[in-house]
Amino acid sequence: MQKIDIPRTMIEVKDISFSYGPDEILSNISLHIEKGDYLGIVGPNGSGKTTLLKIMLGLLRPASGLVALFGKDVSNFKEWPKIGYVPQKVTNFDANFPVTVKEVVMMGRYARRGLFHETTVQDERLVRQVLEQVEMWEHRDRLIGDLSGGQQQRVFIARALATEPEIIFLDEPTTGIDQKTQNGFYSLLRKLNRELHLTLVLISHDIDMIAREAKHVACINRTLVCYGLPAEFLKYNSATDIFSGGVKIIAHKHDH
Amino acid sequence: MILDIFQYGFALRAIEAGIIVAIIAPLIGIFLVLRRYSLIADTLAHVSLAGVAVGALIGFNPVITALLATVVSSLGIERLRTSKKVYGESALSLFLSGSLALAVVLLSIAKGLNANLLNYLFGSIVTVTTNDIFIISALAAVVIVTLLLFYKELIYITFDEEAARVSGIPVRSINAILMVLSAFTVSISIPIVGVLLIAALIVIPVVAALQLRQSFAKTILCAEAISLFSVLAGIVVSFYFDLATGGTIVLIMLIIFGGVSVWKK
């Protein structure tokens, strides 16, 4: 018998609004993320992308609207290990923090273990596995601050993977990383999405890359201005030029 | 004439208390230093002076009254800080100057305690009583066990508070626990280094160990080694040369810090 893969809603965002004081940052944003999706959230600087991500993760409370993770309201959500998070690190990172690559990735296991439980040999094995996956195992004993930006980002991906998540949120993961390293990074994400069927939500200002890599694109500018397939986004963008004077769009071939 | 330090009960008690303090201080210190909370140790130390003054006034064990004062204040500081009504460092200033003012007023009421006061301010191995040792050991046991229980959560929050929250760690409760443990540590350290130098004991060995750029686990071990050596050497040196114990310990720590910094340059 043939298996039918029924699309499953992982994240539901409904009519989210958010303000800092009198300043409305986001209004009426709705998104719908399904299992296996690769959603790119793009928008100009100050468009509220990161705020939206923080609301989705329960770090900020929206003024109105609803966020449901795996069918549960975010304020009652308990299964946090299902969610991996790669914060915007390269720019605000304490390079002197005394912690090795291995220790950072082990943090990813803490959520799975929970309070009052020691990590085990099994956790060690998983840490090795994810570090090999992102090709950072040989750097395991180096301090995180001694690595290059691209390597650090791989370690943070490994930490997210170590929680064995079903979805990973990434906030501007390629900031301050050179183009060649970025390409390697995006092919790693592609592998996670296509081969391991991990759902990805990626915030970026690199619309060129997002249009090429993601399965869906949500373009935010305080409100949801465009949401759909990358091709639709490219068409919309060339018509309206929302990133005025910003990044240039070059047409790329889609391979998914 | 050279005196044998081990012949004297008070010196032995000081060494016992010194070892306990030397073990505890860096364990708390590493989390405070890395979170830029170093000044909390100093603030709680001043609060503990007010506690000592209350103890002196009502004739109760000053370590216990200092403990109560620091625990209550540590939670108050954390509350003020997270409420965001007051800037973090302003909250510390309020408690630091407020408690010092209270201590000065209380001590002026209880006249005639001035000689004793110097011991509390700067630490003296003569002030450690058997009763103190008992209290210090109990508090130390609480601190160590609690730290072990929340060790992995504390590391995660210290390194990356936001990611720790997303992974489901109850960040607020654990921050409060860290504050209370800091209060415990400050109270434990009073008899040995004195109120004014407690922060040094919590901060300097960690800062020195950080210069070595090791893993988290190794950094703790190095800080422990520096702390234990400095405290023991400080007690012995201050005993033979009749110096203030707390000051001697802190100076030894600073020399080690200087040496490590120069060596690692």
Side-chain angles (χ1 to χ4, degrees):
Chain A
M1 210 164 69
Q2 204 188 349
K3 253 204 212 154
I4 304 164
D5 196 19
I6 303 162
R8 214 181 85 198
T9 302
M10 284 194 147
I11 315 276
E12 184 81 59
V13 175
K14 236 182 198 159
D15 297 324
I16 287 292
S17 297
F18 185 85
S19 318
Y20 279 118
D23 213 10
E24 188 158 67
I25 304 291
L26 295 171
S27 67
N28 293 318
I29 299 210
S30 297
L31 296 171
H32 178 86
I33 303 166
E34 275 173 10
K35 193 171 164 59
D37 202 352
Y38 185 164
L39 175 69
I41 300 179
V42 298
N45 280 335
S47 58
K49 314 187 281 289
T50 297
T51 306
L52 175 64
L53 187 79
K54 287 189 174 174
I55 289 171
M56 292 201 291
L57 291 170
L59 292 170
L60 290 173
R61 214 176 267 262
S64 63
L66 199 123
V67 176
L69 309 177
F70 297 89
K72 275 228 175 70
D73 189 273
V74 66
S75 50
N76 297 321
F77 186 68
K78 292 277 185 307
E79 301 159 280
W80 289 105
K82 284 187 174 174
I83 290 177
Y85 174 44
V86 180
Q88 191 178 349
K89 258 281 125 34
V90 181
T91 40
N92 53 9
F93 184 76
D94 178 6
N96 293 315
F97 202 99
V99 70
T100 61
V101 167
K102 221 168 128 189
E103 286 175 321
V104 170
V105 178
M106 189 55 95
M107 291 175 194
R109 294 305 300 158
Y110 294 169
R112 279 281 172 199
R113 282 287 156 231
L115 284 172
F116 312 126
H117 291 279
E118 293 296 310
T119 51
T120 62
V121 187
Q122 218 181 328
D123 296 314
E124 298 267 349
R125 218 175 295 142
L126 206 115
V127 164
R128 176 173 186 154
Q129 188 192 319
V130 293
L131 272 174
E132 281 170 348
Q133 223 163 21
V134 301
E135 291 161 24
M136 286 298 293
W137 175 245
E138 58 181 305
H139 301 288
R140 60 189 174 278
D141 291 324
R142 290 177 69 191
L143 284 197
I144 184 85
D146 290 344
L147 302 176
S148 72
Q151 290 173 322
Q152 285 173 359
Q153 216 44 268
R154 280 174 179 269
V155 174
F156 286 116
I157 295 263
R159 183 180 71 182
L161 289 173
T163 58
E164 300 175 284
E166 294 183 27
I167 181 167
I168 299 184
F169 291 85
L170 304 101
D171 188 0
E172 302 259 14
T174 53
T175 310
I177 295 173
D178 65 83
Q179 193 59 49
K180 200 178 146 222
T181 315
Q182 279 191 32
N183 291 338
F185 183 75
Y186 280 108
S187 73
L188 169 68
L189 292 185
R190 205 181 309 138
K191 203 174 85 186
L192 297 177
N193 180 245
R194 309 286 200 280
E195 289 170 23
L196 300 177
H197 308 291
L198 267 168
T199 311
L200 299 178
V201 177
L202 172 69
I203 282 194
S204 178
H205 57 267
D206 189 350
I207 49 179
D208 179 25
M209 205 51 132
I210 290 294
R212 187 171 15 153
E213 295 290 335
K215 288 179 179 165
H216 292 98
V217 178
C219 182
I220 305 265
N221 197 5
R222 303 211 163 200
T223 176
L224 191 61
V225 293
C226 163
Y227 183 29
L229 296 171
E232 292 167 36
F233 163 68
L234 288 175
K235 213 188 291 166
Y236 174 85
N237 188 68
S238 58
T240 56
D241 196 23
I242 170 171
F243 294 85
S244 49
V247 197
K248 235 197 206 151
I249 303 246
I250 310 150
H252 285 288
K253 184 176 94 202
H254 287 281
D255 52 3
H256 59 258
Chain B
M1 194 180 90
I2 296 173
L3 300 163
D4 187 354
I5 189 167
F6 297 106
Q7 286 175 357
Y8 294 85
F10 71 85
L12 276 180
R13 285 196 296 274
I15 289 172
E16 283 166 17
I19 290 173
I20 297 169
V21 169
I23 290 171
I24 302 292
L27 288 181
I28 282 291
I30 189 146
F31 296 111
L32 295 181
V33 167
L34 287 172
R35 304 172 79 172
R36 315 287 190 273
Y37 277 9
S38 296
L39 277 178
I40 278 179
D42 216 18
T43 304
L44 290 179
H46 284 77
V47 170
S48 73
L49 186 63
V52 166
V54 170
L57 202 61
I58 62 174
F60 203 74
N61 189 314
V63 175
I64 300 221
T65 48
L67 176 70
L68 290 175
T70 46
V71 166
V72 171
S73 304
S74 68
L75 292 173
I77 292 168
E78 183 66 6
R79 194 131 183 218
L80 257 185
R81 206 176 58 86
T82 47
S83 78
K84 298 208 167 125
K85 279 184 196 148
V86 180
Y87 297 120
E89 70 265 32
S90 310
L92 293 182
S93 283
L94 287 177
F95 274 86
L96 195 147
S97 44
S99 55
L100 198 55
L102 181 64
V104 170
V105 169
L106 287 177
L107 288 167
S108 70
I109 296 170
K111 281 175 191 135
L113 287 165
N114 293 345
N116 231 340
L117 178 65
L118 268 185
N119 289 340
Y120 282 115
L121 283 178
F122 297 108
S124 161
I125 56 174
V126 198
T127 52
V128 183
T129 64
T130 317
N131 203 17
D132 284 341
I133 296 282
F134 180 71
I135 297 168
I136 289 171
S137 311
L139 290 178
V142 172
V143 172
I144 290 180
V145 169
T146 316
L147 276 179
L148 279 177
L149 284 178
F150 296 104
Y151 179 74
K152 53 189 204 332
E153 284 77 19
L154 278 167
I155 294 184
Y156 204 166
I157 295 173
T158 305
F159 180 62
D160 191 340
E161 183 161 326
E162 208 162 68
R165 275 170 74 187
V166 173
S167 83
I169 289 172
V171 170
R172 228 187 235 192
S173 316
I174 296 204
N175 280 343
I177 289 170
L178 180 66
M179 294 302 283
V180 172
L181 291 183
S182 310
F184 273 45
T185 306
V186 164
S187 309
I188 293 171
S189 314
I190 291 174
I192 288 297
V193 281
V195 164
L196 293 181
L197 295 172
I198 286 169
L201 203 63
I202 292 174
V203 171
I204 299 173
V206 171
V207 178
L210 284 174
Q211 307 306 312
L212 297 166
R213 297 185 62 79
Q214 303 271 342
S215 69
F216 200 86
K218 279 186 190 159
T219 303
I220 290 182
L221 286 180
C222 292
E224 287 290 337
I226 294 167
S227 175
L228 271 169
F229 174 81
S230 308
V231 169
L232 290 177
I235 290 174
V236 172
V237 170
S238 66
F239 177 85
Y240 283 114
F241 295 93
D242 196 20
L243 306 169
T245 323
T248 312
I249 291 170
V250 172
L251 286 177
I252 291 172
M253 284 177 174
L254 280 172
I255 291 168
I256 294 173
F257 167 74
V260 171
S261 304
V262 170
W263 175 53
K264 272 284 157 185
K265 220 169 187 180

